[in-house]
Amino acid sequence: MEESQAHGNKLHEVLVLGSPWVFPVLHSQFSNRFHFLKPFLSSLSLLQFLSSYAQSIQALLIPGGCLHLTSAVLDCLPALKLVVTTSTGVDHLDLPELRRRQIAIAYVPDLYSEDVADLAVGLLIDVLRRVSAGDRFLRLGLRPTKGDFPPLGLKLSGKRVGIVGLGQIGSKVAKRLEGFDCKISYNSRTKKPLVPYSYYSNVHELASNCDGLVICCGLTEETRHMINREVMVALGKDGVIINVGRGAIIDEKAMVECLIKGEIGGVGLDVFENEPEIPEELFNLDNVVLSPHVAVITHETSVELSKLVVDNLEAFFSNKPLVTPLPNN
Amino acid sequence: MEESQAHGNKLHEVLVLGSPWVFPVLHSQFSNRFHFLKPFLSSLSLLQFLSSYAQSIQALLIPGGCLHLTSAVLDCLPALKLVVTTSTGVDHLDLPELRRRQIAIAYVPDLYSEDVADLAVGLLIDVLRRVSAGDRFLRLGLRPTKGDFPPLGLKLSGKRVGIVGLGQIGSKVAKRLEGFDCKISYNSRTKKPLVPYSYYSNVHELASNCDGLVICCGLTEETRHMINREVMVALGKDGVIINVGRGAIIDEKAMVECLIKGEIGGVGLDVFENEPEIPEELFNLDNVVLSPHVAVITHETSVELSKLVVDNLEAFFSNKPLVTPLPNN
């Protein structure tokens, strides 16, 4: 039986943009309550799909970071009244434009910071200790006993790690790295009271005093390309950078150059400047770990998230207040 | 100029078996002080090589775990007086046989436990969060925006983790995982005083009460195949196993079966039962992370280790006491 027939065609339609990670869980649990439109599975272009099928769509679901909700997209959705983003950051949304069109926004407040911090530490260990590179070495059939040496890693314990952005995520990264006897320092807009770590008011000075940087801040005009060539050179040739914030916080072109010239020691990236594009030069490097923007997503969290999405959608379709509206919007 | 000529053919010869990780560092720093024989780079079989070139060899260097120093090998080395192993564990050495032949042993006391603990946590995050699998996904050209979903990971924070063997390494793994709010328990021969973690006197009971096991113990007759099918089933279908101890502590055949049937959630292995052999079935699984027995080796540690090896070799060739003799041998 078709899902839309099960309830006498009364399922509310929800447009799903950009194939959010949570979608498989959401679909398997809630396709009896909503009819999901999936342009990412269509052979049509997005705008063609929207013009053909989404004229009456009132609500859409969009992941963070990857796909931008542009005016061109919004113009194809004349009935849109609600955007539900599955992210905490909203830099992919044009807030003034959505406000002008009187479109409400539901977002996800802190649900992810533990998962993000866990992955940040995982990427840091992976880059330093060449975990993914070692796995690739073995899966390629290479063996030390055949005279091949796997890539030699760097030590984590005791290293000086700088946290860029000591918010919910950054604080959890710091707490985790204390267990590795790392010496933690941080950069943020203002010095935090009651925090035992050394504060550096600028990121260049932080980099000069660290063996690794973990980027946990949001993307703003101030943080865009904050990690530039000078900062990377200050970090040095054994220094590593982990990015679980937003891609454009790093000057990606400069980063690729520094990696190729051996001016930094390695990077672990869950985000990229022009997602889904990834600079091709990175694919050949063993001191690079690439992660498909999954810092926030685990099975456990996707179950919680999918409930939160559905609660917001049901509130909207019942004319009740959103469960997690974006504040000050 | 040939290295052996530089000192008027007076360099002491050292046989290097099994291509230890430390060898590139050792060779680059100390080839002016020793002449290293490298059967692993020869096209001859090991025994042929030894019979042809190693009759007068007094000292050999061997890594841990991989290659066993058998009587057949020892029979080809009539002049052997010293074995230097680069490992802390010595299960690859036949101690009674070496004693009988009056061959001294130098080993490496605790130099590695931080590195091993770091990698154990790295493998745990990697397996749970599918870091290597995500990296592979992207390097294969797959992209979420094309409708491909990367493998969905499991959460680490707050998980119940059982440490098998709470020695130098296990304690450091536990300390690191406390930063992730993991609930730690452990199994060891005896309950440790002054340890805040729950003790289980048998590993089956530990597995029944945990979401993951991290194997940090040595290989003995008691621990061989201690992680058997029953233990794995008790751990359960989302349970993960990390092994930085020795391969044969896990019943590898049973493990492969459990992985294929989905009876456990994943494994991260730095060691294998029959190194360098790795069961082929593992190469196709995204919930498996393979590491080429590098838990003990980082650049920083290999510099320290290489100094320790050389100090032992120089002590031996100068008829001085070894710097780190194996105790009670």
Side-chain angles (χ1 to χ4, degrees), chain B residues 9 11-15 35 37 49-60 73-82 316-317:
Chain B
N9 285 320
L11 293 185
H12 288 294
E13 290 194 317
V14 177
L15 174 67
H35 178 68
L37 269 75
F49 182 97
L50 298 182
S51 306
S52 309
Y53 300 109
Q55 294 305 296
S56 62
I57 277 290
Q58 290 190 288
L60 73 76
V73 172
L74 293 172
D75 286 343
C76 297
L77 300 167
L80 192 69
K81 287 285 161 225
L82 173 69
F316 168 76
F317 286 118

Side-chain angles (χ1 to χ4, degrees), chain A residues 301-314:
Chain A
T301 300
S302 72
V303 169
E304 282 186 68
L305 170 59
S306 125
K307 187 176 174 310
L308 194 66
V309 165
V310 165
D311 289 349
N312 275 297
L313 289 172
E314 297 209 324

Side-chain angles (χ1 to χ4, degrees), chain A residues 139 153 157 175-176 181 288, chain B residues 139 157 175-176 181 288:
Chain A
R139 287 181 198 239
S157 281
K175 177 185 162 189
R176 281 153 178 71
D181 296 325
V288 170
Chain B
R139 288 181 197 239
S157 282
K175 179 186 161 190
R176 282 153 177 71
D181 296 325
V288 170

Side-chain angles (χ1 to χ4, degrees), chain B residues 6 24 29 67 100 109 181 211 219 233 245 251 265 304 312 329:
Chain B
Q29 294 191 335
L67 184 126
R100 196 181 67 74
D181 296 325
D211 306 304
L219 180 65
V233 169
D251 179 343
E304 282 187 69
N312 275 297
N329 188 50

Side-chain angles (χ1 to χ4, degrees), chain B residues 12-255:
Chain B
H12 288 294
E13 290 194 317
V14 177
L15 174 67
V16 182
L17 293 183
S19 77
W21 312 114
V22 74
F23 187 66
V25 175
L26 194 67
H27 190 266
S28 71
Q29 294 191 335
F30 299 106
S31 59
N32 60 339
R33 284 153 78 176
F34 300 99
H35 178 68
F36 295 108
L37 269 75
K38 295 158 283 203
F40 57 91
L41 294 183
S42 165
S43 58
L44 295 178
S45 78
L46 178 60
L47 296 188
Q48 279 176 321
F49 182 97
L50 298 182
S51 306
S52 309
Y53 300 109
Q55 294 305 296
S56 62
I57 277 290
Q58 290 190 288
L60 73 76
L61 180 65
I62 185 171
C66 191
L67 184 126
H68 285 254
L69 196 54
T70 58
S71 285
V73 172
L74 293 172
D75 286 343
C76 297
L77 300 167
L80 192 69
K81 287 285 161 225
L82 173 69
V83 168
V84 181
T85 178
T86 60
S87 60
T88 304
V90 290
D91 54 277
H92 58 308
L93 304 179
D94 183 340
L95 298 183
E97 184 60 26
L98 288 170
R99 204 176 296 124
R100 196 181 67 74
R101 294 178 187 238
Q102 295 188 290
I103 297 172
I105 304 173
Y107 83 126
V108 178
D110 188 31
L111 177 67
Y112 301 126
S113 59
E114 289 181 341
D115 282 344
V116 178
D118 290 353
L119 188 74
V121 176
L123 288 174
L124 181 60
I125 302 177
D126 197 324
V127 171
L128 286 169
R129 299 299 301 273
R130 309 289 195 254
V131 179
S132 294
D135 181 85
R136 193 161 52 240
F137 174 90
L138 291 178
R139 288 181 197 239
L140 281 171
L142 300 171
R143 294 293 178 274
T145 41
K146 297 183 193 166
D148 301 304
F149 287 99
L152 187 64
L154 296 168
K155 198 178 183 90
L156 171 59
S157 282
K159 279 274 190 314
R160 301 168 304 163
V161 180
I163 313 284
V164 181
L166 199 73
Q168 291 277 3
I169 294 167
S171 309
K172 290 191 173 78
V173 171
K175 179 186 161 190
R176 282 153 177 71
L177 290 177
E178 284 191 69
F180 297 78
D181 296 325
C182 289
K183 293 162 197 80
I184 311 290
S185 45
Y186 72 104
N187 162 255
S188 62
R189 271 166 299 188
T190 54
K191 190 174 186 318
K192 312 268 176 191
L194 306 175
V195 160
Y197 316 126
S198 308
Y199 173 67
Y200 290 93
S201 61
N202 81 73
V203 79
H204 186 276
E205 210 186 328
L206 180 74
S208 308
N209 288 282
C210 283
D211 306 304
L213 296 179
V214 183
I215 301 169
C216 305
C217 59
L219 180 65
T220 63
E221 277 320 301
E222 288 76 48
T223 64
R224 183 178 300 274
H225 283 203
M226 178 172 59
I227 309 296
N228 56 23
R229 183 178 158 72
E230 288 69 41
V231 171
M232 292 185 245
V233 169
L235 188 63
K237 70 178 185 45
D238 287 331
V240 300
I241 302 173
I242 304 305
N243 193 0
V244 291
R246 281 286 179 262
I249 297 166
I250 301 181
D251 179 343
E252 201 171 73
K253 205 174 147 208
M255 179 195 74

